[in-house]
């Protein structure tokens, strides 16, 4: 299972941790301590890849120091904030391990749970996700909206996206290579892993409070993630537009017939202005709504056809050995490898 050794004689890591970072200076010292403790406990070589998603605080300075002093730590600095889902993708592109674990920086995904994920992976599961049984320190609103979202998504998509599961998971090499072949811009990572199949299972854990700092997912970002999730995995909203359009046209036709009859058989009564206004505004409202739904899909297509790179890497720290290992392993060239090679000249 273990990849070929690199030229430097280092074993390629078996486990890769991928941790996205966006303005996490408050939690980083604690995080690094917990991650180091975890790496020490693992039964094989491991790397921790931090992906800085355009932080504007001191996170990067701290992480550069870590990546320089501890050979197991690596840092990818993106050129700006690309968003959580893309940051995860960048980290997974760079991961050299046979099992890759994605976790949040704020210790809401407790590092100790990784040991349970690994145990399941060793039983032969390709994808092991961590399911939240209890969510501490999150507002009632966040819990209610999350629960509503997962249930609605389950109704609307044809893919099974497990409930109460975030992006905290372990994926094996096969799943990771499949993921790398999925070029879509609109990345709803948990849906993409749901889509690909393989043997999947869950490990339960209680989600603690954020250890420090504050959430990087304000309300509007959550809504955007939810909309992306639905749009990229379901065409139900489009069909909804079709059926609603049909129903409303039918209703309008009936009204027309009614208007015609009253014009023919009632004597010179001027019918209400109110009903006209109501009908017109109702119809234009529905019209705008449907156009909006279609616009979301068209916007998705537009983003895809531009074929821009998913993310831009500004700087890499601590990757040199990993590149050598990957060259030896003759891994298929991917976005991240190309970036690494450019840098090494
Ligand atoms: N994050 C990121 N880019 C962003 C927003 C968040 O990389 O634009 C990272 C953040 O640093 C954290 C993870 O994504 O490691 C989850 O964010 P957060 O804990 O704030 O979300 P919540 O748990 O509140 O949903
Ligand atoms: Mg969090």
């Amino acid at each position: 299972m273990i990849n070929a050794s690199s030229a430097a004689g280092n074993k390629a890591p078996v486990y890769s941790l991928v941790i996205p970072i966006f303005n996490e200076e408050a939690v980083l010292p604690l995080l690094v301590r917990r991650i180091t403790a975890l790496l020490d406990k693992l039964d094989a070589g491991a790397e921790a890849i931090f992906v800085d998603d355009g932080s504007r605080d001191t996170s990067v300075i701290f992480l550069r120091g870590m990546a320089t002093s501890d050979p197991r730590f690596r840092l990818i600095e993106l050129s700006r904030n690309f968003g959580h889902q893309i940051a995860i993708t960048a980290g997974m592109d760079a991961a050299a391990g046979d099992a890759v674990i994605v976790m949040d920086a704020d210790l809401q995904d407790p590092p100790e749970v990784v040991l349970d994920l690994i145990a399941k992976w060793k039983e032969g599961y390709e994808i092991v996700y961590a399911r939240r049984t209890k969510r501490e320190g999150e507002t009632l609103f966040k819990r209610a909206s999350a629960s509503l979202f997962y249930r609605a998504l389950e109704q609307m998509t044809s893919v099974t996206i497990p409930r109460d599961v975030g992006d905290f998971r372990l994926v094996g090499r096969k799943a990771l290579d499949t993921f790398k072949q999925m070029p879509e811009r609109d990345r709803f990572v948990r849906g993409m892993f749901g889509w690909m199949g393989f043997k999947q299972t869950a490990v339960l854990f209680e989600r603690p409070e954020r250890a420090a700092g504050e959430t990087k997912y304000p309300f509007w970002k959550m809504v955007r993630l939810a909309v992306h999730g639905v749009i990229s995995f379901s065409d139900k909203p489009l069909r909804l537009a079709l059926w609603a359009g049909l129903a409303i046209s039918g209703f309008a036709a009936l009204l027309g017939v009614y208007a015609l009859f009253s014009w023919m058989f009632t004597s010179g009564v001027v019918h209400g202005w109110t009903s006209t206004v109501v009908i017109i505004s109702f119809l234009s409202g529905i019209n705008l709504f449907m156009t909006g739904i279609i616009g979301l899909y068209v916007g998705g297509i537009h983003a895809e056809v531009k074929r821009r790179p998913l993310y831009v890497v500004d700087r890499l720290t601590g990757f040199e050995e990993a590149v050598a290992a990957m060259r030896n392993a003759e891994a298929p060239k991917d976005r991240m490898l190309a970036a690494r090679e450019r840098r090494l000249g």
Side-chain angles (χ1 to χ4, degrees):
M1 272 217 129
I2 299 171
N3 286 338
S5 299
S6 75
N10 292 309
K11 286 265 173 62
V14 174
Y15 304 113
S16 299
L17 304 181
V18 170
I19 307 170
I21 305 287
F22 182 51
N23 298 338
E24 298 286 10
E25 62 184 1
V27 78
L28 277 181
L30 184 57
L31 173 73
V32 163
R33 222 177 312 142
R34 296 269 294 271
I35 293 292
T36 310
L38 172 69
L39 292 179
D40 292 341
K41 259 188 254 167
L42 293 178
D43 57 357
E47 60 177 359
I49 301 177
F50 293 86
V51 184
D52 175 63
D53 188 17
S55 295
R56 286 178 282 269
D57 62 3
T58 59
S59 300
V60 169
I61 298 170
F62 185 87
L63 288 171
R64 275 186 202 153
M66 278 314 299
T68 318
S69 60
D70 187 328
R72 297 171 299 181
F73 283 68
R74 319 199 193 297
L75 173 64
I76 301 171
E77 292 170 43
L78 300 183
S79 61
R80 64 170 167 84
N81 180 250
F82 279 87
H84 178 209
Q85 303 287 301
I86 303 266
I88 292 177
T89 304
M92 289 203 273
D93 281 349
D98 292 320
V100 178
I101 299 112
V102 177
M103 55 198 295
D104 285 357
D106 58 1
L107 295 170
Q108 282 197 290
D109 300 338
E112 297 69 38
V113 176
V114 171
L115 298 173
D116 301 340
L117 299 178
I118 289 174
K120 284 282 175 202
W121 174 66
K122 287 193 171 154
E123 283 174 26
Y125 292 96
E126 186 64 14
I127 299 177
V128 189
Y129 41 83
R131 174 178 279 145
R132 306 153 181 172
T133 51
K134 206 161 122 197
R135 306 161 71 116
E136 274 169 32
E138 292 185 346
T139 59
L140 189 66
F141 174 74
K142 176 143 187 171
R143 272 179 290 150
S145 57
S147 137
L148 192 72
F149 168 63
Y150 285 118
R151 273 143 199 84
L153 196 65
E154 199 165 80
Q155 287 297 311
M156 298 192 77
T157 57
S158 41
V159 196
T160 32
I161 299 171
R163 272 188 204 179
D164 296 322
V165 168
D167 289 311
F168 185 22
R169 74 185 68 229
L170 178 153
V171 302
R173 245 307 131 186
K174 281 183 281 180
L176 189 75
D177 288 339
T178 312
F179 181 77
K180 284 185 177 180
Q181 284 168 14
M182 296 167 85
E184 60 240 62
R185 260 101 265 276
D186 204 353
R187 295 182 93 73
F188 187 57
V189 173
R190 58 199 85 159
M192 293 164 71
F193 282 112
W195 173 89
M196 68 176 69
F198 291 123
K199 255 180 98 178
Q200 310 203 356
T201 190
V203 159
L204 300 179
F205 79 110
E206 286 187 11
R207 193 157 212 239
E209 271 182 67
R210 186 174 242 288
E214 44 191 57
T215 177
K216 309 300 180 298
Y217 258 102
F219 177 67
W220 60 269
K221 261 198 195 168
M222 266 164 45
V223 171
R224 207 167 60 179
L225 183 69
V227 170
H228 277 211
V230 172
I231 296 292
S232 53
F233 280 94
S234 168
D235 57 1
K236 282 235 173 90
L238 276 178
R239 278 184 277 147
L240 173 94
L242 179 72
W243 291 115
L246 270 180
I248 289 159
S249 317
F251 179 64
L254 285 180
L255 261 178
V257 171
Y258 167 75
L260 205 66
F261 270 79
S262 28
W263 173 70
M264 288 197 297
F265 301 113
T266 41
S267 48
V269 185
V270 178
H271 278 286
W273 173 83
T274 323
S275 57
T276 316
V277 170
V278 167
I279 289 163
I280 289 182
S281 47
F282 175 65
L283 285 184
S284 35
I286 291 286
N287 227 323
L288 276 179
F289 178 64
M290 300 306 168
T291 316
I293 290 180
I294 293 166
L296 286 174
Y297 286 90
V298 174
I301 296 169
H302 181 62
E304 295 294 342
V305 297
K306 278 191 285 191
R307 303 202 138 270
R308 294 217 177 122
L310 269 181
Y311 51 83
V312 180
V313 175
D314 182 16
R315 183 164 162 173
L316 299 171
T317 314
F319 272 98
E320 288 73 8
E321 308 157 22
V323 173
M326 281 189 75
R327 275 194 186 133
N328 278 3
E330 286 174 31
K333 285 225 166 142
D334 58 39
R335 300 181 275 262
M336 182 57 71
L337 186 59
R340 283 178 182 178
E341 287 194 342
R342 262 199 305 284
R343 179 166 178 271
L344 292 177

